[in-house]
Amino acid sequence: MNDAGRICFGVLLLLSLSRIPVFAQQKDKRPNIVYIMSDDHAYQAISAYGYRLNNTPNIDRMAKEGAIFTNACVTNSLCAPSRAVLLTGKHSFINGKIDNVHAFNWDQDNFCKELQKAGYQTAMIGKIHMDGLPQGFDYSAVLIDQGEYYNPDFIINGVKQQKMGYVTDLTTAMTLDWIKNRDSSKPFCVLYHQKAPHREWLPSLKYIKEYTGKTYKEPATLFDDYAGRGAAAKSAEMNILKDMNWSGDNKISPDVLQELGIKDPLDWGPDAYHNNLGRMTTSERAAWDSVYDPIIARFRSDYPAMTPKDLMRWRYQRYMQDYMGCIASVDDGVGQLLDFLKENNLDSNTIVIYTSDQGFYLGEHGWFDKRFMYEESLRTPLLIRYPGHIRPGTNIDALIQNLDYAPTILDYAGVKIPADMQGESFKNLVSGNTTKWRDAIYYTYYEYPSIHMVKRHYGVKTKRYKLIHFYYDIDEWELYDLQKDPQEMKNVYNDPTYAPVRKEMHAKLEALRKMYGDSDENDKKFLPAGNK
Ligand code: SGN
Ligand code: CA
């Protein structure tokens, strides 16, 4: 062996000893894509957004090294519909997945099918919340329906298998494993979908002690009485005091609730409690009880003297502790992924996207959950890192929608965007090559009557104003001035000083409905049977 041979042999030996996988060179220079989407992750719970509620150092790293979007919105603030919009690049009334109930038609085109056709290797790992074998993926490992936090069942390429561990950590590990074992001669796209922090918010054992000890600042509108708004806000059932389950959500054991004479507003609370904790191993359950039993005991003794206001405050803290505890593991996963890409020389040629399927209420207006076109649920976190293409520290406040993700990813991959996709690529906007962008977005919501009782509505938002029409069992319009009233406390639809704005917003709404192919006829098509 000559000197060069000996050096080469030495390097290979060192690499194999250090257990760093030696990837075959990716000859195809097109970028890899890691699309990370968590479930119900409010932008208020990402420290880079500046709300000071929690710390997400790894997600924040993406903002520092790439772009953060402060006005990214969804088209329909609900899990499965949002996922359908992501895949198809089309509004709910076009792709057919209007709510969590209707089936998704996997036979229609989606951006992963397009990437596959163009030679990409694709995978989906984690929550998808849709029935049927995902199409467009060389590999899929998906949770069933909402999935479980502890020792969850996955459907791996169509075959059910239980995995032992905590769902967020498992989803991360499975994603990294898939990247390690892929065919490294091709570019890849992986959809890495966390179940967390979805209700009923079960954190990892690693974090329960730390997070149940925290106290969170209350939002200014925690005790909102909805006086300045219409019937929809007043009749929604997502108030932390009135509509949460004490057992499933707040983790108070059903026997103690019975003793205290507390009944869950929704009957399935105790079932949720038993099902969630019932998946733990004996030692996991013991570790859980060692933290939650003292909380339950304290509540048991304090409850008789608590006023409704005290209870609201207590429930808000309980909710936030578990919710934020779930996010700690999501953030760990982002850190592991970013480190992994770096250690394997994949970071400069991989686009990493972090988002949620929608926004979420963290006590604003007294609420949890989402669905409304109001800001906290309409807006969703979005961060993108692509070194060399996106300047570190980029801040974008353009009205992006999840409708735009599919065309943007295809654009970055150099794949033709199908003409019937309704979103737009924001690649040139992020790189600073253009400032041209839409001035208004269109929103629709259909799942009513149903859990949380948020009425059907559609609307338009510009950076300054928002016009919403609630229909079906009411006919009410709401108009908000987001500059003067960012918390949307006062509907100014009937305020004469807003008459010109109202007219202008109606015109924008009509134009968008026409452009996207929506209409009163469509709205009727999706009404419950018997109402069409
Ligand atoms: C469940 C939740 C609801 C939530 C829907 C939809 N209740 O029904 O709070 O709005 O899912 O969520 S739970 O206690 O059973 O989890 S989505 O993210 O899947 O759209
Ligand atoms: Ca969701």
Side-chain angles (χ1 to χ4, degrees):
M1 202 185 287
N2 61 18
D3 280 356
R6 267 195 293 274
I7 291 168
C8 189
F9 177 76
V11 168
L12 283 176
L13 187 73
L14 268 177
L15 279 175
S16 62
L17 285 178
S18 65
R19 295 218 203 112
I20 295 171
V22 186
F23 289 124
Q25 196 66 29
Q26 185 181 309
K27 288 185 200 80
D28 190 327
K29 290 294 171 210
R30 289 179 295 175
N32 306 307
I33 293 131
V34 179
Y35 175 87
I36 316 171
M37 181 161 70
S38 45
D39 195 344
D40 293 356
H41 190 171
Y43 55 83
Q44 308 93 295
I46 290 179
S47 33
Y49 279 92
Y51 286 79
R52 296 166 182 271
L53 283 170
N54 62 336
N55 279 321
T56 48
N58 296 299
I59 301 175
D60 290 10
R61 222 167 109 190
M62 292 186 55
K64 268 186 228 115
E65 296 170 2
I68 184 165
F69 296 73
T70 53
N71 226 339
C73 298
V74 293
T75 62
N76 181 350
S77 185
L78 198 59
C79 183
S82 165
R83 288 151 207 271
V85 170
L86 157 75
L87 289 166
T88 62
K90 294 174 187 149
H91 272 282
S92 307
F93 49 88
I94 304 284
N95 71 45
K97 184 71 183 151
I98 55 150
D99 55 24
N100 279 339
V101 184
H102 280 72
F104 177 65
N105 175 11
W106 277 107
D107 290 339
Q108 66 188 304
D109 195 20
N110 71 46
F111 80 93
C112 291
K113 291 186 183 182
E114 294 297 322
L115 287 175
Q116 263 186 330
K117 274 192 265 169
Y120 267 76
Q121 208 175 162
T122 59
M124 178 193 297
I125 297 158
K127 181 171 169 183
I128 185 61
H129 200 178
M130 291 172 179
D131 291 340
L133 188 67
Q135 292 182 30
F137 302 93
D138 300 313
Y139 174 82
S140 64
V142 295
L143 296 163
I144 303 167
D145 195 27
Q146 296 284 9
E148 294 108 3
Y149 272 106
Y150 281 86
N151 308 317
D153 289 323
F154 279 86
I155 307 271
I156 302 182
N157 288 336
V159 181
K160 185 169 153 181
Q161 192 190 326
Q162 185 177 18
K163 294 261 179 188
M164 299 308 284
Y166 183 64
V167 70
T168 308
D169 301 338
L170 288 168
T171 306
T172 303
M174 288 160 82
T175 301
L176 298 188
D177 269 355
W178 182 80
I179 302 177
K180 272 181 212 155
N181 297 318
R182 77 197 193 280
D183 168 358
S184 48
S185 65
K186 293 181 185 171
F188 69 87
C189 171
V190 57
L191 309 191
Y192 160 28
H193 288 183
Q194 293 292 14
K195 166 195 167 55
H198 192 274
R199 196 181 182 191
E200 285 100 7
W201 316 296
L202 270 73
S204 152
L205 295 178
K206 182 177 165 194
Y207 287 118
I208 47 177
K209 186 140 181 49
E210 178 185 346
Y211 277 81
T212 51
K214 290 188 189 280
T215 306
Y216 292 90
K217 187 174 181 292
E218 287 173 9
T221 57
L222 185 64
F223 294 96
D224 193 355
D225 61 3
Y226 317 113
R229 307 206 234 181
K234 293 185 179 93
S235 59
E237 295 176 0
M238 44 195 245
N239 185 277
I240 293 175
L241 175 63
K242 297 191 194 118
D243 304 308
M244 259 190 188
N245 275 319
W246 291 94
S247 42
D249 296 333
N250 292 160
K251 329 288 189 307
I252 299 294
S253 56
D255 55 324
V256 168
L257 292 177
Q258 205 174 9
E259 189 191 320
L260 295 171
I262 302 176
K263 203 177 150 4
D264 263 334
L266 292 165
D267 299 340
W268 41 261
D271 286 348
Y273 179 91
H274 292 303
N275 291 340
N276 291 339
L277 301 188
R279 293 194 73 90
M280 294 176 175
T281 62
T282 318
S283 64
E284 286 169 341
R285 182 61 200 262
W288 179 274
D289 287 344
S290 74
V291 171
Y292 284 84
D293 277 355
I295 298 175
I296 298 172
R298 176 116 192 245
F299 177 75
R300 187 164 161 262
S301 71
D302 290 352
Y303 178 75
M306 287 167 92
T307 65
K309 222 170 182 176
D310 296 334
L311 288 173
M312 175 57 138
R313 297 209 144 110
W314 184 90
R315 301 196 86 172
Y316 168 73
Q317 295 300 337
R318 207 56 294 294
Y319 161 41
M320 293 292 277
Q321 291 164 351
D322 291 344
Y323 181 87
M324 295 299 191
C326 289
I327 288 172
S329 298
V330 172
D331 188 65
D332 284 349
V334 173
Q336 283 171 34
L337 175 96
L338 294 176
D339 289 347
F340 172 87
L341 294 177
K342 193 156 187 200
E343 281 156 17
N344 293 288
N345 290 326
L346 286 166
D347 66 327
S348 63
N349 198 33
T350 301
I351 303 171
V352 182
I353 302 170
Y354 185 87
T355 190
S356 168
D357 59 345
Q358 11 62 210
F360 212 68
Y361 293 93
L362 302 183
E364 298 88 356
H365 310 292
W367 288 332
F368 64 106
D369 218 69
K370 54 262 180 173
R371 296 159 192 269
F372 275 115
M373 197 195 167
Y374 303 134
E375 288 295 280
E376 291 82 357
S377 38
L378 172 67
R379 274 161 54 192
T380 193
L382 177 64
L383 303 101
I384 308 185
R385 180 187 184 277
Y386 187 17
H389 298 260
I390 299 179
R391 244 184 321 109
T394 299
N395 198 309
I396 307 265
D397 75 341
L399 289 161
I400 302 288
Q401 273 188 301
N402 56 344
L403 193 66
D404 305 319
Y405 297 172
T408 303
I409 293 171
L410 291 176
D411 198 7
Y412 272 118
V415 176
K416 192 167 175 293
I417 303 166
D420 60 353
M421 279 196 178
Q422 298 185 301
E424 309 249 345
S425 165
F426 52 80
K427 177 173 164 244
N428 287 329
L429 187 78
V430 186
S431 58
N433 290 339
T434 182
T435 51
K436 236 181 102 210
W437 195 248
R438 65 169 76 91
D439 68 350
I441 52 158
Y442 181 56
Y443 181 87
T444 62
Y445 174 79
Y446 305 88
E447 198 178 274
Y448 177 88
S450 182
I451 184 168
H452 300 301
M453 296 303 273
V454 172
K455 293 187 189 289
R456 288 167 187 252
H457 57 291
Y458 59 84
V460 57
K461 163 178 153 137
T462 62
K463 279 192 185 162
R464 171 89 194 252
Y465 300 106
K466 190 184 289 177
L467 176 70
I468 313 176
H469 183 213
F470 290 95
Y471 65 98
Y472 177 52
D473 55 353
I474 53 169
D475 178 10
E476 284 186 17
W477 290 88
E478 295 185 8
L479 177 68
Y480 294 96
D481 181 338
L482 298 171
Q483 200 177 79
K484 291 205 173 132
D485 177 24
Q487 290 169 329
E488 300 164 301
M489 299 296 282
K490 187 152 179 39
N491 171 19
V492 293
Y493 189 77
N494 291 316
D495 179 338
T497 53
Y498 282 91
V501 174
R502 175 173 148 171
K503 195 167 162 216
E504 197 192 315
M505 290 299 282
H506 268 291
K508 277 194 193 297
L509 180 63
E510 276 323 300
L512 286 179
R513 268 164 83 80
K514 196 158 167 217
M515 180 176 105
Y516 289 125
D518 203 8
S519 60
D520 291 349
E521 275 317 297
N522 269 353
D523 297 340
K524 280 200 200 109
K525 215 163 71 189
F526 298 122
L527 291 180
N531 291 287
K532 297 187 188 180

